Amino acid sequence: MKTVYTCFCTDVIHEGHLNIIREAQKLGEVTVGVLADEASVRYNRFPVISLEERISLVRGIPGVAHVVVQNDIMYHEVFEKLHPDYIVHGDNWSLPSMQAIRKNILQLIERYGGQLVEIPYTYSEQIQRIDRQITAKLAMPELRRGRLKKLLNMVPIVKTIEVHSGLTGLIAEKTVVANGEAIDQFDAMWISSLCDSTEKGKPDIELVDMTSRFRTIEDVMEVTTKPIIFDGDTGGLAEHFVYTVRSLERMGVSAVIIEDKKGLKKNSLFGTEVEQTQAGIEEFSEKIRMGKKAQLSDDFMIIARIESLILEKGMEDALNRARAFVDAGADGIMIHSRKKDPGEILTFCDRFRETDRTTPLVVVPSSFNSVTEDELASHGVNICIYANQLLRAAFPAMENAAKSILIHHRAQEIDSELMPIKQIITLIDEL
Ligand code: SPV
Ligand code: MG
């Protein structure tokens, strides 16, 4: 009997999947690989049901002889362990990520033998409706909020990108790259106070009020499903912070990060060039305690951000604060630095992990941007936030276009550097 392998990365079995199994059965004994959580997150989308549930869903399909877990979206392990005679796959290879998978399968076939059988993909209204329903479900506040905590247990490091509008939200949501033999995308989004303020032409001094910041969150949420980490600046007065916590939870935000500064907050990347005051340990611990008390759901996170390295108060001060803020109930610690060298951040993480193995650690490698995600993860970092890159990419591109039009008294010269109008009007999905 010939052996047939196909991989499912789905939460719902529909007509299209049943058709694949029917066709696969004609070729031999069918083994279905269920894509593991981490691979699903990186390749496809966040699974709404657990791996165990996905396995039993597939087991229930008539014609499936064996079910295995496929740990990687690429097929090395499948070929090494199973040596299938046939790999059956839908012929929907149009995305670059899908093409990378097809290439991988063909290369492995050359090495191990076997044959790729491509089944015409089933397009039906019902299937499209199911797909849209899953996406809509993922965007709902209850499901979205808890996803950050789940991700922390699923992936080695939660890759988070700054967004400040619906459009940047779409970039965070939809950008997928096939990088060599890996497929990658961002896990979460950061609503930065710096970028939210700059986008409005305002300084990053807690001037843009919460109502306006919430409006940005809504714009992003309308068009995305990934979890959101909100930059809450200092959190404001503790008596106000408790209301912010409730509002963020209700909206479906997963975490707020508040920094241990008080008075007029300026952006941390100014460091000691401007006057900034760090809040006392007890004062800031009380704000955390009050926030945690106000919180209604179990899955929302309040993360304490420590500015001791930014304000040159030293490593011991940073570590003392981290321990105190965890004791006060903080669900995570963000440590910040504006040094080009990641040394002090990595030292902090190593020292913190000597006594605390579990509290999530967050870093923002804007200045120390040579450090890789793998390096950070190996020092115990759980969340890496790329805090301002999309805004910094857009500004020079826009300024360049404005200058070119002024210089040439027409728009022709800049046109080749701009996204075609046809593409921009189809960028946004219609319902
Ligand atoms: C932000 O993105 O607004 C931050 C991070 O707070 S930083 O600008 O590096 O201080
Ligand atoms: Mg900020």
Side-chain angles (χ1 to χ4, degrees):
M1 184 99 167
K2 298 273 187 192
T3 55
V4 190
Y5 183 86
T6 188
C7 175
F8 278 8
C9 36
T10 183
D11 296 316
V12 179
I13 301 296
H14 54 55
E15 186 47 37
H17 301 114
L18 299 179
N19 185 44
I20 295 243
I21 299 296
R22 272 195 301 271
E23 292 301 317
Q25 253 189 305
K26 292 179 190 164
L27 300 165
E29 189 181 63
V30 181
T31 298
V32 177
V34 174
L35 198 61
D37 284 344
E38 188 189 341
S40 274
V41 167
R42 290 275 183 263
Y43 157 65
N44 188 10
R45 60 178 156 217
F46 194 91
V48 288
I49 57 173
S50 70
L51 179 66
E52 291 69 33
E53 286 168 311
R54 300 202 295 284
I55 291 171
S56 55
L57 207 65
V58 172
R59 271 220 179 95
I61 305 175
V64 173
H66 309 282
V67 181
V68 296
V69 175
Q70 183 172 329
N71 290 304
D72 197 286
I73 189 63
M74 296 303 176
Y75 280 66
H76 293 97
E77 206 182 86
V78 171
F79 276 85
E80 273 163 26
K81 286 193 179 154
L82 304 176
H83 292 281
D85 296 307
Y86 297 102
I87 295 280
V88 171
H89 200 289
D91 66 352
N92 50 327
W93 301 109
S94 57
L95 295 174
S97 51
M98 299 295 287
Q99 283 162 20
I101 297 169
R102 186 170 189 273
K103 196 170 144 203
N104 171 260
I105 294 172
L106 292 176
Q107 279 169 349
L108 289 162
I109 283 176
E110 257 181 43
R111 191 173 341 148
Y112 292 93
Q115 193 186 329
L116 173 63
V117 177
E118 297 165 273
I119 312 278
Y121 187 74
T122 317
Y123 290 96
S124 78
E125 246 186 48
Q126 193 212 6
I127 290 176
Q128 281 172 0
R129 198 172 58 242
I130 290 172
D131 255 359
R132 280 204 300 269
Q133 277 170 348
I134 296 175
T135 307
K137 212 168 159 186
L138 282 168
M140 292 298 169
E142 278 306 310
L143 260 181
R144 191 192 302 239
R145 195 197 307 116
R147 205 165 319 143
L148 182 64
K149 270 201 175 169
K150 288 194 180 133
L151 271 169
L152 284 166
N153 292 320
M154 274 182 186
V155 296
I157 189 157
V158 177
K159 295 187 286 195
T160 307
I161 182 84
E162 169 266 318
V163 300
H164 53 266
S165 59
L167 190 62
T168 47
L170 281 178
I171 289 174
E173 182 78 12
K174 294 191 173 187
T175 307
V176 182
V177 294
N179 189 5
E181 294 220 328
I183 287 177
D184 223 339
Q185 56 177 297
F186 290 104
D187 301 309
M189 299 176 287
W190 165 245
I191 308 267
S192 147
S193 68
L194 172 67
C195 299
D196 207 358
S197 309
T198 307
E199 181 63 21
K200 292 172 170 62
K202 299 268 172 65
D204 181 18
I205 52 171
E206 297 190 272
L207 174 65
V208 177
D209 67 21
M210 270 305 160
T211 311
S212 174
R213 304 281 320 275
F214 289 171
R215 186 65 241 167
T216 304
I217 297 176
E218 292 287 358
D219 286 346
V220 170
M221 282 190 159
E222 286 247 14
V223 295
T224 61
T225 63
K226 293 184 180 180
I228 291 178
I229 305 173
F230 181 70
D231 177 358
D233 288 320
T234 65
L237 293 173
E239 292 80 355
H240 293 175
F241 178 56
V242 291
Y243 286 91
T244 306
V245 167
R246 285 275 175 93
S247 304
L248 292 171
E249 278 191 284
R250 194 179 57 248
M251 280 190 275
V253 169
S254 302
V256 63
I257 300 188
I258 52 169
E259 58 193 275
D260 60 351
K261 286 203 290 230
K262 64 178 184 181
L264 181 63
K265 185 223 83 153
K266 302 246 174 86
N267 186 273
S268 297
L269 302 175
F270 283 123
T272 50
E273 289 157 28
V274 293
E275 206 183 311
Q276 307 209 53
T277 316
Q278 204 170 12
I281 292 184
E282 184 39 43
E283 184 184 3
F284 196 70
S285 297
E286 182 55 15
K287 197 183 285 187
I288 295 165
R289 277 194 289 270
M290 284 172 69
K292 287 309 290 177
K293 209 167 141 200
Q295 182 181 325
L296 289 178
S297 63
D298 290 332
D299 42 21
F300 184 73
M301 299 172 75
I302 297 178
I303 298 173
R305 162 172 169 176
I306 294 164
E307 293 285 294
S308 304
L309 303 180
I310 292 280
L311 300 173
E312 295 174 12
K313 298 282 171 59
M315 188 62 68
E316 294 311 318
D317 185 68
L319 286 162
N320 285 342
R321 282 171 177 266
R323 291 183 200 113
F325 298 156
V326 171
D327 286 346
D331 300 293
I333 293 293
M334 173 183 152
I335 183 69
H336 207 17
S337 161
R338 64 180 198 127
K339 295 248 165 77
K340 269 228 140 306
D341 187 290
E344 67 176 6
I345 284 286
L346 300 181
T347 303
F348 174 92
C349 295
D350 292 343
R351 299 252 336 252
F352 180 75
R353 283 279 174 254
E354 279 169 16
T355 54
D356 186 330
R357 313 248 4 122
T358 52
T359 304
L361 273 177
V362 184
V363 304
V364 177
S366 303
S367 302
F368 46 100
N369 54 18
S370 61
V371 75
T372 64
E373 291 154 7
D374 281 351
E375 260 177 285
L376 290 172
S378 72
H379 289 267
V381 174
N382 307 87
I383 301 179
C384 170
I385 300 180
Y386 298 98
N388 50 39
Q389 284 74 11
L390 294 189
L391 185 87
R392 286 165 57 208
F395 187 87
M398 290 194 284
E399 197 182 38
N400 188 33
K403 280 183 182 166
S404 173
I405 293 169
L406 283 176
I407 288 168
H408 299 287
H409 303 284
R410 63 180 192 181
Q412 188 186 43
E413 283 71 17
I414 193 68
D415 206 70
S416 61
E417 288 178 48
L418 309 179
M419 179 179 262
I421 290 177
K422 237 193 177 153
Q423 205 173 333
I424 207 148
I425 57 179
T426 53
L427 196 65
I428 317 286
D429 293 334
E430 287 185 26
L431 283 183

